[in-house]
Amino acid sequence: MSSKASILAAIQKNKPVASPLPDLLSFPDEPNLVEKYEKGLSGNGGQLMQVTAIKNVQDYIEANFPREQLKASLVEGVEGNIDVNNISDPHDLEHVELAVLQGELGVAENGAIWMPEKNVVHRVLPFIAQHLIIILKKDTLLTNMHQAYEKVKVNDHGYGVFIAGPSKTADIEQSLVIGAHGPRSLTVFLMD
Amino acid sequence: MKTQSHAQAAAEFIKDDARTHWHDETLWHVRQKRDLSAQGIPEWETLRDTASATKDYVLSHLGELLEQFETNALANGIEVLWAKDAQEHNEHVYRILQENKVSNIVKSKSILTEECGLNHYLEDKGYDVVDTDLGERIIQFAKQAPSHIVLPAIHLKKQDIGEIFHEHIGTEKGASDPKYLTEAARQHLRKKFVEANAAITGVNFGIAETGGFVVCTNEGNADMGTHLADIHIACMGIEKLIPRATDLGVFLRLLARSATGQSITNYSSHFHKPAPGKKLYIILVDNGRTEQLGREDFKNSLKCIRCGACMNTCPIYRRSGGYSYNSTVPGPIGSILSPGKDLKKYSTLPFASTLCGSCSDVCPVKINIHEQLYKWRQVITENTDVDASKKLAMKVAGYTFGKPVLYDLAGKMARTALKITPDSLVYSSLNVWGKHRDLPDVPKESFKEWYQKNRKS
Ligand code: SF4
């Protein structure tokens, strides 16, 4: 008997009496989405900037990141100096200082942003960059994860990730350190 | 060779009084963060009920869901393998590595691969497996096993870690600043990520409906590894399934909050297809799970989502350390999972509890952990020759459990006592494993007397 068959046979023999599948949950909408979102994001180590135009993001980058550093932008209106669409081996992204990406939606309860594969081109980009900027539209904010999973089709693409903050660890005596392996910062620009 | 009992191993741990206290307090702090976080969610109990019921559904439809998962995963281009036991799991991994001529392997935290002893197996075959979770890397250098399922190096102090890093990655002697040490590990592991051609990960949730799976990390190490390497091998216990993607709403809201109090892990990665030109494998592992499924009293232990909350809250775990359990999954959940694997070897674990019920109270999937501990005690008492003192403790526990009202009250008291004066309960002479480990032949006071007396104070 194959291992699959023997595992399934053992399950058949041992499985408990059928129990029903619970209905999906829904809870009241959060009235102050932006405020709640900011709290959620900062709780996980990210920071929120509210801006009115994409130009403000460009200005921020120019003020904070030296010209010669490698920057990859997949957001229209924000200039980078490498074109990730022309890169075939993700290892070539090793020295990217900043990645600028468009988020699909944000979740107020925890700051999480849904980032499908099509928004990152290379799956490793949001992780390998030293710093990460995500642009998020205000009207994509949702109250909680239940709402997010109703909107997002997790298998539309081969890969997708909820990003809720920069890379962090507390494995040494529970002291929080930002910048474990991935981005040392996450800045979310919220736009109208 | 006689295996060390939990009490003997715990005695080792508590020899260092200051460290025991520090360990205890650190974990209690994590537990408090969990409480704060849970209290911030008005629908918390609804989430727990729903998670528990969803897992009931999963366990009672496991066969169908696994087949559905496999069909959908195959359609996604994932190669699916089945493993009856640890040996077969390891052989699958080895074969994949051989077939793909892999030389460098990075791994992100996976309790299942610990359970299967994968690292040792691969090392024997000449592979060097690099654990990339910071805590895991630390203990890998120290040639230790994780002492906690979420916080693998929680038993070590920063000075210890400074020493370990000095020896292995050349940090400055005596350096113990967590920021400095983490930065050094970052530089060291970045090289490993870039060099790796295979990445091994665990799985937090497998989605039957879509044939994909979710991996949760804060460090982003699972993603750094899998997206750079050409081969991704995901190792998943068959109980990790959930029926629908929408069920993730419930589980992701509970997992990180229960684990450390944070609202969600910073990365919750959903894998459905291999990236173009790459390969993705998933190994579905039984290794005793189907047997546990058939044990009416213990099947609920398979609902566990490995958040670690029951460890952080457990007065015994906090004071005896993860190693005292001598099993891959320590703490309360480990004490109900392990006896199913080897009743004799793990016969002392179900006794490593005050039966205060705090574990069941915090468990996000509402496993009746403390009741199962009690039931294992009965099984063990009937089937092995436990020493007399434990039989006595059983009687005491039996008395309380037989009287629901009394038990409830006692439970409440215990929970308060845990917070205020934990020692009063934990180190009481009624407990086989507290400080006064040599239980007198006859208890000085019955539980009832103890209760009567303590109620007044
Ligand atoms: S038994 Fe419950 S509390 Fe313990 S690790 Fe599992 S899910 Fe968490």
Side-chain angles (χ1 to χ4, degrees), chain A residues 3-4 158-160 166-167 182, chain B residues 70 88 186 219 223 266 270 272:
Chain A
S3 295
K4 175 183 170 182
Y159 171 79
S167 163
Chain B
E70 184 189 39
E88 193 177 7
R186 176 186 174 100
E219 299 181 5
D223 289 277
N266 279 4
H270 300 56
H272 278 88

Side-chain angles (χ1 to χ4, degrees), chain B residues 250-263:
Chain B
V250 175
F251 286 101
L252 289 195
R253 294 189 81 191
L254 288 166
L255 178 62
R257 288 187 175 96
S258 299
T260 59
Q262 67 182 97
S263 54

